[in-house]
Amino acid sequence: MTHKHKGKAPTNKLNPLQPRNENAGGRAAAAERRIKPEIVVVTTALLGFISFWRAAAIVLCDLGSSAFYAGGIAEGAIGKAAPWFILSIMLFSYAVRAIYVESCSMFVRGGVYRVVKEAMGAPMAKFSVSALLFDYILTGPISAVSAGQYLVGLGNDTLKLFHFPAVLPPNLTAALVAILVTLYFWWKNVQGIEESSDKAMTIMKITTVMVVMILVWCGITLIIRGGKLPPFSLSVQPEALGWIRHAPSLSHLTWVIVLVGLGHSVLAMSGEETLAQVYREIGHPKLPNLQRTGLVIFAYSLVFTASVSFLAVMIIPDEMRKVYLDNLISGLAMNVVGPYTLRLFFQAFVVVVGFLILAGAVNTAIVGSNGVLNRISEDGILPSWFREPHQRYGTTYRMINMIALLQLLTIVVSRGNIDLLGQAYAFGVVWSFALKALAMLVLRFTEPGHQEWKVPGNLRIGRVEIPIGLGIITLVLFLIALVNLVSKDVSTISGLSFTVFCFIVLSISERIMRRRTTIHREMDEFALNRQEAALPAVVRCRPGSLLVPLRDYNNLTPLKRALETTETEQRDIVVMTSRLNRGPDVGERDLYNEHLFTEYEKYLFSQVVAMAEKEGKPVKLLVLPANDVFEGILQTAINLQCSEVMMGRSEKMSPDLQSKLLGNSWQKLSNAPKIGVVIVSADGREWRFELGPHAPRFRPEDIGQIHDLWLELSKEKGLDSLHHREVVAVAMQQLVEDLKHGKRGEIIAKLREIRKKTDSS
């Protein structure tokens, strides 16, 4: 192994991968042979699996956001027949979702970029990812502006209750709200926002309460007032025809009008890419649970999105409905039977739920865009400069900054006009679907037999299988996409301009990256040892090792402390880093490609090796994929039989919260052994914790208090042989009794007071 040290020739340094007890001659020989440090690359991800219910909740938090604006946008373009087109799109979404199920069942798992690249090559992949980025960049603004429109609607209805003459300007106020929401999630993503299926489940439970209230209350309203289904008329507004209106021979064709109507309603099934993102986290049996997830998503979104559109036309008067097109569910809440104040409270509940889902979609857009940009950067299309982590938070902040800037610019240019955003957004949505479907169709012929599950409707003639079902879905998607090009001038101009510009930038960037033959940062070369799992025999570490998880090469304090305090003759140090499998383009195939050990990991481990050499102590190197940081760390520690984990202090949370999250992950693992955790801050402070049942760490004053109680009580008759542990046992039993018998609030208040004193000290 060689290193450059200010131009000097390398001296006889200890190879940090060689055993400590070898003689000097052995070390010199090892250095002379220039053995590359070995890194064990685990190719099986350490996943924290979730049920199909939780997977469906995560997808619905994204997909469900479209229910708040899709119906209003569609009706503004195609009139009162919009609910029928929304219903058609929701039924068709089941077929589109089948394409995602098939792609996830193949070896090319992942989102649009991964599948298109595998099927049709890099140029088409760059075009598809450009359309996908346009989709993501528009998802944030349209969701944020929609949230603002719902807030404005509630504000104006509240002002009306108090007979206040002022009215909030809808678009301007919505744009300001959207800017604030985008800035909030930009900062949270720079810090590194935590993703949680628990949050998604909570939001969907609240949303389900709202949906049930809407269905019941609107049902009662229809029983009392009566109502008619929307007319099924094949007529659209002239403006909705775009350039087609200048061609009378086409504008009156039934099939053209149907495709135009579907094109204006396609937003109702946006968010399907999230299904590819969540697939890897679904528990066993994987494919059946993925199909169940798809079925739950279909049923829920069909009832929610389609019902809102139908009920709005049936209940809200035509003139009044025009006022509520930008916040249609609020309009429903304000037009059911009941006193105005009660309806206003219902509207407030709708706004709260809508804000939760729509704001979450803004975050999903930033996370999804960041994931796609990371993938194309790792493919050598974008410079690795974009992936350099934030010095404090360790996130790819440059990509996040660029995404947020584009979203903010979109909000400003649109001025809060949700119809304008909807037209533009439709371009990214439908072309992403169309290119994905085309790629899957190509893969049916180029890689037959690799599918665990196929879209139904296949005709076999001899050895050739003709995918009729998949072909029809692809044809319909391309017809809608092509008609959208000529019926939505805003969508076509903005979408094509962005996509072509992005494609050109990516192509030029890729050529520049290929011409770079030198690496500016000095990095070691590593021998990659690919293994299915991290086991002691594979990593060559002894039981009781110290695990040091690292991700940010700007913060190697835990490793420095581990090297300073560990005698490696008796105990091995294992340095691990994990590749988080998140984002819409995460897939099984990625684990066998260059994405597991990129230039970033190479530079990180170069710093680790340099520090180990400086201390003259060996370390074991490990990189593995995981979809949860804490579960990945603990599962690795258990697999390697480590007795302790030494990690850096998070910039986002306190050491106590870090240990609590680790403890939560520990609780999920069956028969997990006791593990010690040491958290080290950048300034060298330490916090020590134990995972699992363990003796508490008493402060001197606590021990003194227990001893004083023991002295006092042991004087009582019959207690002369009392033990300290029995004093503590009685105190715990009394605490249990007090919690059961009405003193819980008092106890919680005392505990909070003690925590405050502990934190302040």
Side-chain angles (χ1 to χ4, degrees):
M1 179 180 63
T2 59
H3 293 276
K4 296 179 181 178
H5 295 283
K6 298 182 181 179
K8 296 181 181 180
T11 58
N12 288 344
K13 284 185 171 285
L14 174 67
N15 187 319
L17 277 300
Q18 302 303 313
R20 171 78 173 181
N21 59 0
E22 67 177 4
N23 57 36
R27 291 197 299 270
E32 197 64 36
R33 290 193 301 270
R34 299 187 178 185
I35 296 174
K36 296 178 182 178
E38 180 184 88
I39 296 180
V40 175
V41 180
V42 177
T43 55
T44 300
L46 297 178
L47 300 175
F49 295 113
I50 58 176
S51 67
F52 69 88
W53 288 109
R54 288 179 176 271
I58 292 171
V59 178
L60 284 169
C61 277
D62 188 16
L63 187 64
S65 63
S66 60
F68 286 84
Y69 54 77
I73 292 174
E75 185 175 344
I78 53 182
K80 294 176 69 174
W84 295 106
F85 287 98
I86 293 287
L87 177 62
S88 300
I89 284 292
M90 297 316 298
L91 292 171
F92 181 57
S93 72
Y94 192 71
V96 175
R97 199 165 294 118
I99 295 176
Y100 280 84
V101 173
E102 179 175 331
S103 74
C104 287
S105 73
M106 291 181 66
F107 69 98
V108 285
R109 303 170 191 186
V112 170
Y113 175 63
R114 275 291 129 220
V115 175
V116 174
K117 183 180 179 183
E118 188 70 30
M120 295 183 285
M124 281 301 296
K126 288 195 285 287
F127 185 83
S128 69
V129 82
S130 300
L132 181 61
L133 284 171
F134 186 71
D135 179 340
Y136 276 129
I137 287 168
L138 267 294
T139 299
I142 195 172
S143 300
V145 167
S146 182
Q149 291 285 3
Y150 274 84
L151 278 176
V152 171
L154 176 62
N156 285 333
D157 285 337
T158 305
L159 292 173
K160 182 180 176 182
L161 174 66
F162 294 101
H163 306 289
F164 202 77
V167 176
L168 296 172
N171 289 357
L172 177 60
T173 310
L176 291 174
V177 171
I179 288 171
L180 292 175
V181 170
T182 304
L183 287 172
Y184 172 79
F185 282 108
W186 159 74
W187 180 237
K188 283 294 180 183
N189 275 274
V190 168
Q191 290 179 304
I193 195 167
E194 293 294 327
E195 298 176 80
S196 169
S197 62
D198 292 334
K199 292 179 183 177
M201 282 293 289
T202 302
I203 290 173
M204 288 316 301
K205 286 175 183 176
I206 298 171
T207 304
T208 302
V209 172
M210 182 198 74
V211 172
V212 170
M213 288 179 67
I214 288 173
L215 294 176
V216 172
W217 207 333
C218 288
I220 294 171
T221 302
L222 289 172
I223 291 172
I224 295 173
R225 295 181 187 167
K228 295 181 180 179
L229 287 171
F232 187 73
S233 57
L234 292 177
S235 61
V236 296
Q237 305 295 330
E239 297 80 8
L241 291 171
W243 291 309
I244 297 179
R245 67 179 180 270
H246 302 301
S249 58
L250 289 177
S251 61
H252 293 91
L253 292 176
T254 301
W255 66 270
V256 173
I257 295 174
V258 169
L259 288 173
V260 169
L262 293 174
H264 283 284
S265 308
V266 76
L267 296 180
M269 64 174 180
S270 61
E272 296 287 353
E273 273 293 291
T274 313
L275 188 63
Q277 173 183 346
V278 79
Y279 168 71
R280 288 193 52 75
E281 300 182 40
I282 297 176
H284 179 80
K286 213 166 188 62
L287 186 57
N289 278 338
L290 177 64
Q291 292 172 305
R292 294 184 188 112
T293 301
L295 184 60
V296 171
I297 294 166
F298 167 71
Y300 196 103
S301 57
L302 176 67
V303 171
F304 183 20
T305 308
S307 296
V308 165
S309 296
F310 274 95
L311 291 171
V313 175
M314 295 169 70
I315 291 176
I316 308 174
D318 291 350
E319 290 303 315
M320 181 66 69
R321 197 167 60 256
K322 293 178 182 178
V323 178
Y324 286 106
L325 284 181
D326 292 341
N327 52 345
L328 203 57
I329 304 180
S330 285
L332 266 179
M334 292 304 294
N335 283 274
V336 292
V337 293
Y340 188 90
T341 305
L342 185 60
R343 287 180 282 144
L344 190 63
F345 275 111
F346 184 29
Q347 184 187 7
F349 178 54
V350 166
V351 171
V352 170
V353 175
F355 205 88
L356 285 173
I357 287 189
L358 291 163
V362 176
N363 178 59
T364 300
I366 297 176
V367 172
S369 303
N370 190 31
V372 171
L373 288 173
N374 269 279
R375 282 291 178 261
I376 61 178
S377 178
E378 290 166 0
D379 274 355
I381 295 175
L382 286 178
S384 58
W385 176 84
F386 282 103
R387 286 185 287 123
E388 289 187 1
H390 192 285
Q391 288 204 1
R392 182 176 181 185
Y393 300 115
T395 55
T396 51
Y397 68 104
R398 288 179 178 132
M399 291 181 178
I400 296 169
N401 290 347
M402 182 171 63
I403 295 159
L405 186 62
L406 287 170
Q407 290 184 336
L408 290 170
L409 181 63
T410 302
I411 294 169
V412 171
V413 170
S414 71
R415 298 179 182 178
N417 187 327
I418 200 164
D419 289 323
L420 192 67
L421 289 169
Q423 281 196 51
Y425 184 33
F427 178 92
V429 171
V430 72
W431 279 104
S432 295
F433 289 153
L435 290 171
K436 172 93 170 196
L438 180 61
M440 293 304 302
L441 190 61
V442 170
L443 286 171
R444 280 289 192 96
F445 294 100
T446 58
E447 299 193 23
H450 284 267
Q451 300 86 353
E452 295 178 39
W453 184 88
K454 298 177 182 179
V455 175
N458 303 294
L459 177 64
R460 181 170 289 279
I461 302 176
R463 294 185 178 181
V464 179
E465 184 180 73
I466 303 175
I468 297 174
L470 181 55
I472 292 172
I473 297 169
T474 305
L475 177 63
V476 172
L477 285 171
F478 266 94
L479 285 174
I480 295 173
L482 291 170
V483 169
N484 262 14
L485 284 179
V486 292
S487 65
K488 294 188 174 190
D489 43 6
V490 172
S491 170
T492 301
I493 294 169
S494 59
L496 271 181
S497 300
F498 179 89
T499 302
V500 171
F501 175 76
C502 190
F503 176 81
I504 292 171
V505 169
L506 293 177
S507 299
I508 294 172
S509 176
E510 185 178 27
R511 288 188 180 183
I512 293 172
M513 291 297 293
R514 284 179 178 175
R515 289 173 185 170
R516 292 184 179 179
T517 56
T518 58
I519 300 174
H520 297 291
R521 294 187 295 194
E522 296 175 359
M523 292 188 282
D524 292 310
E525 292 299 323
F526 296 94
L528 302 185
N529 177 10
R530 297 183 181 273
Q531 298 289 338
E532 283 294 316
L535 299 172
V538 170
V539 182
R540 295 199 290 275
C541 63
R542 292 164 289 183
S545 298
L546 173 63
L547 182 67
V548 183
L550 296 174
R551 190 60 197 161
D552 184 2
Y553 53 70
N554 293 309
N555 181 16
L556 300 180
T557 308
L559 175 62
K560 189 173 186 295
R561 179 61 54 84
L563 290 168
E564 289 172 347
T565 58
T566 304
E567 292 298 330
T568 50
E569 292 92 342
Q570 286 84 38
R571 190 186 197 193
D572 294 317
I573 298 174
V574 181
V575 179
M576 68 160 281
T577 190
S578 57
R579 293 283 297 164
L580 284 183
N581 285 303
R582 290 176 180 169
D585 286 294
V586 170
E588 186 73 30
R589 187 174 178 84
D590 293 350
L591 304 182
Y592 295 90
N593 283 342
E594 68 276 11
H595 298 129
L596 206 54
F597 189 73
T598 67
E599 291 293 304
Y600 183 88
E601 282 75 27
K602 192 175 182 181
Y603 184 70
L604 171 65
F605 281 123
S606 294
Q607 303 304 303
V608 169
V609 169
M611 184 173 286
E613 284 190 331
K614 185 177 180 180
E615 292 292 330
K617 293 183 178 180
V619 293
K620 313 294 181 181
L621 305 179
L622 174 66
V623 58
L624 47 80
N627 70 346
D628 180 90
V629 174
F630 297 116
E631 288 185 26
I633 291 170
L634 286 177
Q635 190 64 66
T636 303
I638 292 169
N639 290 348
L640 296 179
Q641 301 175 30
C642 297
S643 60
E644 194 171 43
V645 175
M646 185 172 286
M647 60 194 300
R649 179 180 179 178
S650 170
E651 293 287 349
K652 299 176 293 181
M653 62 188 79
S654 67
D656 286 331
L657 182 54
Q658 268 183 277
S659 68
K660 184 176 185 300
L661 293 175
L662 276 167
N664 291 344
S665 297
W666 185 91
Q667 294 288 348
K668 296 178 184 178
L669 302 173
S670 58
N671 301 319
K674 199 164 60 172
I675 298 174
V677 176
V678 182
I679 297 176
V680 185
S681 66
D683 58 7
R685 287 185 295 166
E686 282 189 6
W687 291 263
R688 291 184 174 271
F689 305 93
E690 295 284 341
L691 300 182
H694 59 276
R697 296 177 183 272
F698 287 114
R699 298 176 302 170
E701 53 265 40
D702 297 327
I703 295 173
Q705 190 172 27
I706 294 171
H707 185 67
D708 291 341
L709 286 169
W710 173 79
L711 285 174
E712 181 181 344
L713 294 171
S714 61
K715 296 175 183 177
E716 298 293 331
K717 185 178 180 180
L719 297 179
D720 52 330
S721 59
L722 184 69
H723 293 284
H724 289 77
R725 60 178 173 76
E726 293 166 339
V727 174
V728 176
V730 170
M732 288 193 297
Q733 290 171 6
Q734 186 61 48
L735 179 63
V736 171
E737 290 297 318
D738 290 345
L739 285 170
K740 289 181 179 177
H741 297 94
K743 294 187 178 181
R744 187 180 189 85
E746 181 183 343
I747 292 169
I748 296 298
K750 287 181 179 178
L751 288 172
R752 284 174 178 159
E753 185 180 347
I754 292 171
R755 283 301 314 152
K756 284 182 181 178
K757 290 179 180 178
T758 304
D759 291 339
S760 62
S761 60

